[in-house]
Amino acid sequence: LAPWIPVVGLEIHAQISSNSKLFSGSQVQFAAPPNSLVSFFDASLPGTLPVLNRRCVEAAVMTGLALNCSINKKSLFDRKHYFYADLPAGYQITQQRVPIAVNGSLSYSLCIDNKMSQMVTKTVRIKQIQLEQDSGKSLHDDTRSQTLVDLNRAGVGLMEVVMEPDMCCGEEAAAAVRELQLILQTLGSSQAVMAEGQLRVDANVSVHHPGEPYGVRTEVKNINSIRFLAKAVDYEIQRQIEELENGGTILNETRAFDSKLGCTVPMRDKEGKQDYRFMPEPNLPPLILYDAKSLPANMNHQQVINIDWIHERLPDLPSVKREKLVEQYGILPEHSFTLLNEDGLAEFFESVVKQTQMKPKKVIGWILNDLLSYLKQHSLTVKESPVSSSLLADLLNLLEKKEISSTAAKRVLVELWKGEGKTPLEIVKEQKLELLQDQKELEQICQAVIDGQENEVIMMVLG
């Protein structure tokens, strides 16, 4: 039997890191009291009009450039109609026809057979990035069988990143989203914290035989962690294969991932295709962007967005940072991934290297094997580490100068984790962990041991 080929495409909603919403002046703040951040426009009171937030446009342009997209100098806003309690206007403003950025790509790396030393780099095409408003939040209270609506999130700016179906398993999808998350955080265009709903992933999954057209796809909605994304995609691929091999059919439906059960469950079918009745948004003109060539001479810079100006100010992206770490410190490429994947770890490593005589290749061992495993064990972030970079550097300097053995260094580290404010040198002195360099002193100690055990020495000589 011919093998099944899985096809995975992702749609990712990233909440733009901005003080106010996409079309209103309301503040954006996670976990604020319900309905405390709602302007008249967010609540869709008659006569209110949208005003586009410059910061959100800049964040989308920055993200588009970082993902190798073409930026459309003219993009359009549309209304997408659907009825839901947390969408007060009965429509969402989005970019259906001409989005702000198109035709990009994202390169990501993953390990083969869980071997960190064997990494492959793959690329997923980015179809488009569009600006759109978020909806409010419905809180279903089952005990009182009622639904409460919080409109704090209504109108918050989102970038929807639409990826082409270029992936084939959960691990690939997870690696691509992790890389995107790092890029967004590096740019500052989104904080991309999945636990706070700032990055939400919808996965489209189908399977087919080689040479045949793509199969019917299902959409797994609102996955809120990278680990669950990998599980949801792999489960859905297996479910579809088993269904088809048992003579069943795949329904074009929306499913949700139940993380407790580890499986996807049906939400609603898409058979009767929903008609969103897209129409141009009448209250917003086309969004016009400029570059250095097209910028009119007498234009006020505060009123326009210059794509080239943003491009020049892009920070180093994660891939470039990794290359620099490998080049500068001679560490392994896979170690550069670990350093960047943990927030603040690369900075910690560089800080230790600056303060110690130990070679970076040896420092990385202490960082990854000792520091990182301790932090993971105690669910701490790098910033919460009880051992600062200077304390670790002091310890490694003692080891490098051969003042202590590596076994003693591990013991000192155990003491440092307690966070009692002692320096490595104080701990070494307290616990008498120094290596003895003075030959005479060593001879005296040996002599004292022999003198104190006269009977045993005689027995050994006679023996």
Side-chain angles (χ1 to χ4, degrees):
L1 268 176
W4 291 98
I5 298 174
V7 177
V8 181
L10 302 176
E11 291 168 19
I12 299 153
H13 286 94
Q15 182 183 313
I16 297 169
S17 180
S18 164
N19 294 330
S20 51
K21 296 183 181 179
L22 184 57
F23 298 117
S24 82
S26 292
Q27 203 188 336
V28 175
Q29 188 194 326
F30 180 68
N35 296 308
S36 61
L37 306 173
V38 186
S39 70
F40 292 148
F41 176 77
D42 305 329
S44 195
L45 265 61
T48 54
L49 293 169
V51 178
L52 182 57
N53 178 343
R54 178 194 179 100
R55 157 70 192 158
C56 292
V57 178
E58 286 175 340
V61 170
M62 207 188 288
T63 305
L65 291 170
L67 295 175
N68 312 302
C69 292
S70 304
I71 306 295
N72 280 325
K73 286 192 195 155
K74 179 182 179 179
S75 60
L76 306 171
F77 288 99
D78 304 279
R79 287 184 181 184
K80 174 184 183 178
H81 294 81
Y82 59 95
F83 179 75
Y84 208 71
D86 58 24
L87 192 75
Y91 61 82
Q92 173 195 33
I93 302 177
T94 180
Q95 293 192 306
Q96 161 72 7
R97 294 164 298 161
V98 186
I100 194 162
V102 291
N103 301 336
S105 63
L106 169 70
S107 292
Y108 60 96
S109 297
L110 66 161
C111 323
I112 312 170
D113 309 328
N114 286 336
K115 285 186 192 153
M116 272 308 275
S117 53
Q118 284 186 291
M119 299 195 82
V120 287
T121 299
K122 301 200 165 195
T123 301
V124 55
R125 290 168 298 152
I126 307 274
K127 184 177 182 225
Q128 65 189 58
I129 298 174
Q130 62 200 47
L131 280 167
E132 61 184 35
Q133 304 165 290
D134 209 343
S135 60
K137 207 172 188 179
S138 296
L139 307 156
H140 304 293
D141 183 344
D142 293 333
T143 47
R144 288 187 279 183
S145 35
Q146 61 181 18
T147 293
L148 303 168
V149 175
D150 178 7
L151 292 180
N152 280 350
R153 208 178 65 185
V156 167
L158 300 176
M159 294 177 282
E160 182 178 356
V161 180
V162 181
M163 295 182 175
E164 298 283 7
D166 293 343
M167 291 162 281
C168 67
C169 65
E171 199 187 347
E172 285 190 8
V177 171
R178 179 67 187 121
E179 188 68 8
L180 175 66
Q181 186 181 37
L182 276 177
I183 290 170
L184 294 171
Q185 290 168 343
T186 302
L187 297 171
S189 59
S190 170
Q191 288 164 5
V193 179
M194 293 188 90
E196 293 185 10
Q198 294 164 352
L199 201 68
R200 310 194 285 275
V201 184
D202 301 338
N204 291 304
V205 181
S206 68
V207 297
H208 66 281
H209 285 304
E212 289 180 5
Y214 283 1
V216 175
R217 68 177 189 186
T218 59
E219 183 179 22
V220 187
K221 292 285 278 187
N222 283 336
I223 305 165
N224 62 358
S225 102
I226 289 177
R227 202 162 49 88
F228 292 161
L229 169 63
K231 287 183 173 172
V233 167
D234 288 340
Y235 176 86
E236 189 54 24
I237 289 168
Q238 274 317 112
R239 185 192 71 81
Q240 292 188 15
I241 291 171
E242 282 167 24
E243 184 73 41
L244 291 166
E245 287 187 344
N246 292 330
T249 52
I250 302 299
L251 298 176
N252 176 219
E253 62 183 354
T254 302
R255 298 176 75 88
F257 180 66
D258 185 321
S259 55
K260 289 186 183 73
L261 299 175
C263 64
T264 63
V265 291
M267 281 167 71
R268 55 180 185 267
D269 76 52
K270 286 188 163 183
E271 291 302 317
K273 187 138 171 36
Q274 197 162 2
D275 179 13
Y276 290 119
R277 302 192 319 286
F278 283 103
M279 62 171 269
E281 167 53 62
N283 295 323
L284 284 164
L287 171 57
I288 308 292
L289 306 175
Y290 296 90
D291 57 17
K293 279 193 201 126
S294 63
L295 198 68
N298 54 357
M299 186 67 86
N300 176 354
H301 284 271
Q302 296 303 310
Q303 292 177 320
V304 294
I305 286 173
N306 180 341
I307 300 164
D308 289 335
W309 191 87
I310 293 174
H311 199 262
E312 282 161 22
R313 281 156 186 77
L314 283 184
D316 276 351
L317 293 178
S319 54
V320 175
K321 279 190 194 165
R322 284 191 282 256
E323 277 170 24
K324 284 186 177 174
L325 285 168
V326 170
E327 218 171 279
Q328 196 173 343
Y329 301 110
I331 61 174
L332 296 170
E334 55 268 27
H335 289 164
S336 71
F337 275 87
T338 315
L339 283 181
L340 247 69
N341 277 346
E342 299 298 324
D343 188 25
L345 194 61
E347 292 76 13
F348 192 101
F349 164 72
E350 292 195 274
S351 175
V352 174
V353 169
K354 278 194 189 90
Q355 301 173 69
T356 172
Q357 283 105 47
M358 187 179 271
K359 288 202 164 71
K361 280 184 182 175
K362 278 170 80 179
V363 174
I364 196 88
W366 283 86
I367 296 268
L368 300 186
N369 302 333
D370 298 272
L371 179 87
L372 198 55
S373 54
Y374 177 89
L375 295 178
K376 288 243 158 88
Q377 217 175 323
H378 295 82
S379 305
L380 293 170
T381 64
V382 177
K383 289 180 177 66
E384 293 165 337
S385 169
V387 178
S388 67
S389 56
S390 55
L391 279 177
L392 185 58
D394 288 348
L395 174 61
L396 298 185
N397 278 333
L398 291 175
L399 181 59
E400 197 60 17
K401 290 179 195 157
K402 298 198 166 45
E403 288 181 25
I404 54 172
S405 67
S406 62
T407 314
K410 302 260 184 206
R411 279 178 61 183
V412 175
L413 193 55
V414 170
E415 290 300 313
L416 286 174
W417 287 131
K418 294 177 184 170
E420 291 168 355
K422 293 175 188 168
T423 67
L425 194 56
E426 285 166 354
I427 295 167
V428 167
K429 290 219 159 42
E430 261 174 37
Q431 302 203 6
K432 300 196 168 41
L433 296 170
E434 303 101 322
L435 281 176
L436 291 171
Q437 308 287 354
D438 187 338
Q439 198 175 339
K440 274 197 178 138
E441 201 179 334
L442 279 170
E443 283 172 8
Q444 282 169 355
I445 290 170
C446 295
Q447 194 60 53
V449 170
I450 292 168
D451 293 348
Q453 314 282 334
E454 265 181 31
N455 293 343
E456 281 85 347
V457 171
I458 291 164
M459 292 296 287
M460 279 178 72
V461 172
L462 295 174

